[in-house]
């Protein structure tokens, strides 16, 4: 088994080399997942709720929307003039990104990134399967 002409049969049954990672990371071996079991198995969906009170908060709305995260924009705590300015700004961002804006309530809007479907519930409420 010392020469370069060792056969596959000679290699079978030999110990496998298990590469280790540094620090607190998990060791790696065949068929082993390197992530802990508490990792979510499904894609996590989320949206951001922003209660805007000053125009300076408008930038945060744009940044989340540009990151393709839906934003629930609550303008109910803002002064009327500030709320109008923020709504104008948000409308421009929505238009520029090809996103959607949906009124949820008085001074509350859902800003949905392009490709996000926003559906109205059926007349009877939540559909049952």
């Amino acid at each position: 088994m010392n020469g370069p002409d060792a056969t596959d049969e000679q290699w079978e049954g030999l110990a496998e080399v298990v590469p280790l990672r540094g620090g607190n990371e998990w060791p790696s071996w065949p068929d082993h997942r390197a992530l802990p079991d508490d990792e979510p198995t499904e894609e996590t969906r989320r949206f951001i709720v922003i209660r805007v009170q000053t125009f300076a908060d408008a930038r945060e709305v744009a940044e989340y929307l540009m990151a393709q995260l839906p934003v629930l924009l609550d303008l109910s705590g803002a002064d009327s003039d500030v709320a109008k300015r923020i709504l104008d700004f948000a409308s421009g961002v929505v238009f520029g990104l090809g996103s959607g804006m949906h009124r949820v309530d008085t001074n509350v809007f859902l800003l949905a990134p392009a490709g996000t479907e926003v559906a109205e519930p059926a007349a009877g409420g939540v559909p049952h399967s």
Side-chain angles (χ1 to χ4, degrees), residues 4 18 21 44 48 70 84:
V18 178
R21 297 182 183 169
T44 302
I48 307 299
K84 288 178 187 176

Side-chain angles (χ1 to χ4, degrees), residues 47-52 61 65 69-76 82-88 90-91 94 100-112 118:
F47 67 94
I48 307 299
V49 177
I50 300 179
R51 291 175 180 87
V52 180
V61 173
L65 200 55
L69 291 171
V71 176
L72 187 66
L73 177 60
D74 184 355
L75 300 171
S76 59
V82 171
K84 288 178 187 176
R85 287 183 64 204
I86 293 170
L87 192 57
D88 286 345
S91 297
V94 165
M101 179 181 280
H102 309 274
R103 181 181 218 126
V104 175
D105 200 0
T106 305
N107 292 329
V108 179
F109 300 87
L110 176 61
L111 311 180
V118 178

Side-chain angles (χ1 to χ4, degrees), residues 15-57:
E16 289 185 49
V17 175
V18 178
L20 297 176
R21 297 182 183 169
N24 295 328
E25 294 179 305
W26 295 75
S28 181
W29 59 83
D31 300 322
H32 177 264
R33 297 188 58 222
L35 298 174
D37 290 334
D38 60 346
E39 169 192 337
T41 55
E42 296 179 11
E43 180 180 332
T44 302
R45 295 184 184 137
R46 68 180 182 141
F47 67 94
I48 307 299
V49 177
I50 300 179
R51 291 175 180 87
V52 180
Q53 294 182 352
T54 65
F55 187 74
D57 298 331

